[in-house]
Amino acid sequence: SQVCSLVWDPYEKELLSSHGFSENQLCLWKYPSMVKVKELTGHTARVLQTAISPCGTMVCSAGADETLRFWKVFEPVKKSTTKSARSVNTFARMNLR
């Protein structure tokens, strides 16, 4: 199906993909094996966009069905990590090659 957006969780090494036709779902994948961990359904039309919360644990998806859905997808950062580490922009910490 059509991939509409991707969200990366660097702490658990998971990737969330949102899709359009035909299932209109979000899929959580474990990296690097790319095994599907979970499938999130609820939109009745394609998912247009996703955004991750400042704390990094929730994702908001906007669908062509004119709804916003909030999903608790990622686990909170373990206590050994600094308190503000999750709130830093994910892309600022990623090494893009």
Side-chain angles (χ1 to χ4, degrees), residues 81-93:
T81 306
T82 61
K83 187 176 181 181
S84 63
R86 244 315 174 186
S87 62
V88 176
N89 183 349
T90 303
F91 293 109
R93 288 176 284 151

Side-chain angles (χ1 to χ4, degrees), residues 6-94:
L6 298 170
V7 175
W8 171 250
D9 178 22
Y11 299 101
E12 297 296 324
K13 293 191 177 174
E14 293 175 329
L15 183 68
L16 182 73
S17 58
S18 64
H19 301 269
F21 183 78
S22 70
E23 299 296 322
N24 309 314
Q25 84 275 32
L26 286 82
C27 296
L28 185 63
W29 307 87
K30 191 69 176 168
Y31 179 84
S33 65
M34 296 311 289
V35 172
K36 190 186 295 184
V37 176
K38 187 134 189 140
E39 201 168 290
L40 307 168
T41 58
H43 285 287
T44 57
R46 69 184 176 154
V47 179
L48 299 173
Q49 186 61 271
T50 55
I52 192 164
S53 67
C55 68
T57 61
M58 295 190 69
V59 172
C60 176
S61 59
D65 56 3
E66 299 182 358
T67 64
L68 293 175
R69 299 202 181 259
F70 294 87
W71 313 88
K72 185 173 179 342
V73 179
F74 302 119
E75 293 296 320
V77 176
K78 293 172 181 57
K79 292 182 182 184
S80 63
T81 306
T82 61
K83 187 176 181 181
S84 63
R86 244 315 174 186
S87 62
V88 176
N89 183 349
T90 303
F91 293 109
R93 288 176 284 151
M94 289 178 36

